[in-house]
Amino acid sequence: MNVLIVYAHPDSNSLTGSLKDLAVSTLRADGHDVVVTDLYAMKWQAAADFTDFDGITGPDFMHASGEAYRSGRLIEDIRAEQQKLLDADLVILQFPLWWFTMPAILKGWIDRVFTYDFAYGAKMPRYGAGPFAGKRALVATITGGRIGHYTERGVNGSIDDLLFPINHGVLSFTGFDVLKPFVEHSAAHLDDQRYTEIAERYRQRLATAFTAEPIPYRQESGGDYTGVTYQDGSELVSGRESPGTSGFALHIVGSDRR
Amino acid sequence: MNVLIVYAHPDSNSLTGSLKDLAVSTLRADGHDVVVTDLYAMKWQAAADFTDFDGITGPDFMHASGEAYRSGRLIEDIRAEQQKLLDADLVILQFPLWWFTMPAILKGWIDRVFTYDFAYGAKMPRYGAGPFAGKRALVATITGGRIGHYTERGVNGSIDDLLFPINHGVLSFTGFDVLKPFVEHSAAHLDDQRYTEIAERYRQRLATAFTAEPIPYRQESGGDYTGVTYQDGSELVSGRESPGTSGFALHIVGSDRR
């Protein structure tokens, strides 16, 4: 299978860098074709602006990105990343958690590559369907904090909820089957034994990346939501959740967190 | 009072751009001193990397940022933004919601300006205390989607939960009193009458920015969490919440969402 790893860390000697290398070697040893988008090495431009659109300036930024995409006038670095996405069966986003989300350079990869009419659009289905349906995605991230701070009652909030805007809002939105994220904590307090344990856990996750059950996010057009198109209300139909469920858990089939 | 508006939109004719102009004129008319960080106009570098640290490379990226800060060796554009933060009584983050969070260029302002030992650190208190205690912050954002999609049962999830990693994880974390966000929807479907309504709502929010009650996020050292330092467990003490509360709402005093 084809794997795209989008990697964002300024230090190749970091744990994130080591795990990226591990993913490349593990997946290749398993016979997969692996392509790495190394954003820092590429000096990827993070800020999305009109210079991406070959002179197209209207009617607004979003629609200009769509016209540039449809007419083949997007800047070359974006087109190359879009082709990598189209070629991939599995996309891994490998990054350190900075301020509870991805580093700016990776957000800029999303902002610039996921253009209107390529990744989303007024007539495109969302959440469980869409342009990347049939592909899988895995967020692999490292925090500097302690694991107990990232539980539901932990002071930072649950890591699954903190990653919801990425896993649900970016990846499921555009059609990916989203795997349970690979998350390790306390990156600043790492000895050799802990690295060995982390590496082994990551190898196991990579080995099952094409077979593991994805997070059962509800599909927008699967009957769980009101309305039938992008333009409608799209609210969860009453009674679809276990009694007492609230928050982001409402949008996961079978979640009974309350 | 001193107000810093950090503004991130590539199109000055956008609704976000108009609301930024409105904030500047409204706040100045009320006698406040207003400084604007216009990230696109400044061609702000979004990607945080070692070039910010005047040759300091270790022991890791985070601690290098701290050493560069402490020794006054941070690159000039970061030092200028840090001074603006120190001078501000109110910080407004004005941006369009792209993929359920801030645009990369604004995330890059956070990543680069909020360095170790300036905005956070091993010995700094967090959540309700910290370096920016006594200052206020307001997220002012615009979505392209429909309001019904951003409720708790809406397909995107609740806007308050989507903004939690920013309001709680960035702003409350570093000590700000965080105001209820100003959010408007359907930016792509705007006529003059709706603009007038939105502008009036924004003016009212700006008029009360120094008096409105902030979001009552729990303070980490306020007795609601186990442990007393950054290094401890810091989990919400059993029974502090209304029965049945779950998710991010656990971390807000008096929330009884269930």
Side-chain angles (χ1 to χ4, degrees):
Chain A
M1 308 290 258
N2 293 328
V3 182
L4 170 61
I5 301 176
V6 187
Y7 159 65
H9 201 294
D11 185 352
S12 58
N13 293 318
S14 60
L15 176 56
T16 301
S18 298
L19 292 177
K20 179 266 294 176
D21 292 341
L22 179 74
V24 171
S25 58
T26 301
L27 291 163
R28 283 185 181 152
D30 286 348
H32 302 298
D33 288 317
V34 182
V35 171
V36 177
T37 286
D38 182 340
L39 294 169
Y40 275 96
M42 295 160 69
K43 299 185 187 302
W44 178 261
Q45 178 191 321
D49 64 31
F50 285 104
T51 62
D52 289 341
F53 307 151
D54 189 30
I56 299 169
T57 58
D60 55 49
F61 189 76
M62 179 178 80
H63 290 95
S65 82
E67 186 182 331
Y69 165 70
R70 291 191 308 274
S71 58
R73 291 166 65 184
L74 282 172
I75 199 166
E76 168 58 25
D77 65 349
I78 294 179
R79 283 187 285 130
E81 296 304 310
Q82 289 184 335
Q83 189 59 51
K84 291 181 192 174
L85 268 170
L86 294 174
D87 291 343
D89 301 298
L90 167 66
V91 175
I92 299 175
L93 302 181
Q94 186 109 43
F95 60 93
L97 199 72
W98 286 359
W99 297 107
F100 304 106
T101 186
M102 52 179 74
I105 200 170
L106 179 54
K107 181 56 170 37
W109 183 82
I110 302 287
D111 286 348
R112 294 180 64 221
V113 176
F114 282 42
T115 66
Y116 192 73
D117 278 351
F118 173 70
Y120 69 105
K123 291 170 183 166
M124 273 194 210
R126 311 183 296 184
Y127 292 119
F132 306 137
K135 303 178 187 296
R136 290 176 163 242
L138 171 66
V139 163
T141 193
I142 304 294
T143 84
R146 295 184 175 235
I147 189 169
H149 296 191
Y150 290 90
T151 60
E152 191 178 17
R153 301 185 73 85
V155 68
N156 295 329
S158 138
I159 187 69
D160 286 337
D161 284 348
L162 292 165
L163 294 176
F164 184 89
I166 300 171
N167 280 328
H168 183 261
V170 177
L171 298 172
S172 175
F173 187 107
T174 55
F176 284 101
D177 287 326
V178 185
L179 296 169
K180 185 175 178 302
F182 178 80
V183 183
E184 294 286 344
H185 298 278
S186 301
H189 311 278
L190 204 64
D191 58 23
D192 284 351
Q193 186 190 335
R194 264 212 75 218
Y195 178 74
T196 303
E197 294 166 1
I198 290 171
E200 181 53 29
R201 281 198 289 271
Y202 196 32
R203 271 192 215 97
Q204 290 174 10
R205 291 296 309 279
L206 295 166
T208 60
F210 289 102
T211 53
E213 284 293 318
I215 301 170
Y217 289 126
R218 297 181 192 279
Q219 298 192 10
E220 185 167 24
S221 303
D224 283 348
Y225 294 92
T226 58
V228 291
T229 78
Y230 196 114
Q231 302 301 328
D232 293 330
S234 226
E235 295 191 2
L236 184 62
V237 171
S238 180
R240 290 299 159 106
E241 75 279 17
S242 298
T245 307
S246 69
F248 290 149
L250 287 166
H251 304 284
I252 302 175
V253 174
S255 176
D256 60 356
R257 198 185 66 195
R258 47 188 90 186
Chain B
M1 306 290 258
N2 292 328
V3 182
L4 170 62
I5 300 176
V6 187
Y7 159 65
H9 200 295
D11 184 352
S12 58
N13 292 317
S14 61
L15 176 56
T16 301
S18 297
L19 292 178
K20 179 265 295 174
D21 292 340
L22 179 74
V24 171
S25 59
T26 300
L27 291 162
R28 285 187 179 152
D30 286 348
H32 302 298
D33 288 317
V34 182
V35 171
V36 177
T37 286
D38 182 341
L39 294 169
Y40 275 97
M42 294 160 69
K43 299 186 187 301
W44 178 260
Q45 178 190 323
D49 64 32
F50 285 104
T51 61
D52 289 341
F53 307 150
D54 190 29
I56 300 169
T57 58
D60 56 49
F61 189 76
M62 180 179 78
H63 290 96
S65 82
E67 186 181 332
Y69 165 70
R70 290 190 309 273
S71 59
R73 291 166 66 185
L74 282 172
I75 198 166
E76 168 58 26
D77 65 349
I78 294 179
R79 282 186 286 131
E81 295 303 310
Q82 290 184 336
Q83 190 59 51
K84 291 181 192 174
L85 269 169
L86 294 175
D87 292 342
D89 301 298
L90 167 67
V91 176
I92 298 175
L93 302 181
Q94 185 108 42
F95 59 93
L97 199 72
W98 285 358
W99 297 106
F100 304 107
T101 186
M102 53 180 72
I105 200 169
L106 179 54
K107 180 57 169 36
W109 184 82
I110 302 286
D111 286 348
R112 294 179 65 220
V113 175
F114 282 43
T115 67
Y116 191 74
D117 278 350
F118 173 69
Y120 69 106
K123 292 171 183 166
M124 273 194 211
R126 312 183 295 185
Y127 292 119
F132 306 137
K135 303 177 187 296
R136 292 175 161 240
L138 170 66
V139 164
T141 193
I142 304 294
T143 85
R146 293 180 178 241
I147 189 169
H149 296 191
Y150 289 90
T151 61
E152 191 177 16
R153 300 184 73 85
V155 70
N156 295 329
S158 134
I159 188 69
D160 287 337
D161 284 349
L162 292 165
L163 294 175
F164 184 90
I166 301 171
N167 279 329
H168 183 260
V170 178
L171 299 172
S172 175
F173 187 107
T174 54
F176 284 101
D177 287 325
V178 185
L179 297 169
K180 185 174 179 302
F182 177 80
V183 183
E184 293 285 343
H185 299 277
S186 302
H189 310 278
L190 204 64
D191 57 23
D192 284 350
Q193 187 190 335
R194 264 211 74 221
Y195 178 73
T196 303
E197 293 165 0
I198 290 171
E200 181 52 31
R201 281 197 289 271
Y202 196 32
R203 269 190 218 100
Q204 290 174 9
R205 291 297 308 279
L206 294 166
T208 60
F210 289 100
T211 54
E213 284 294 316
I215 301 170
Y217 289 127
R218 296 180 192 279
Q219 298 193 11
E220 184 167 24
S221 303
D224 282 347
Y225 294 92
T226 61
V228 290
T229 78
Y230 197 114
Q231 302 299 330
D232 293 328
S234 227
E235 296 190 1
L236 183 62
V237 171
S238 180
R240 290 300 159 107
E241 76 278 18
S242 298
T245 307
S246 70
F248 290 148
L250 286 166
H251 304 285
I252 302 175
V253 174
S255 176
D256 60 355
R257 200 184 66 196
R258 42 188 92 189

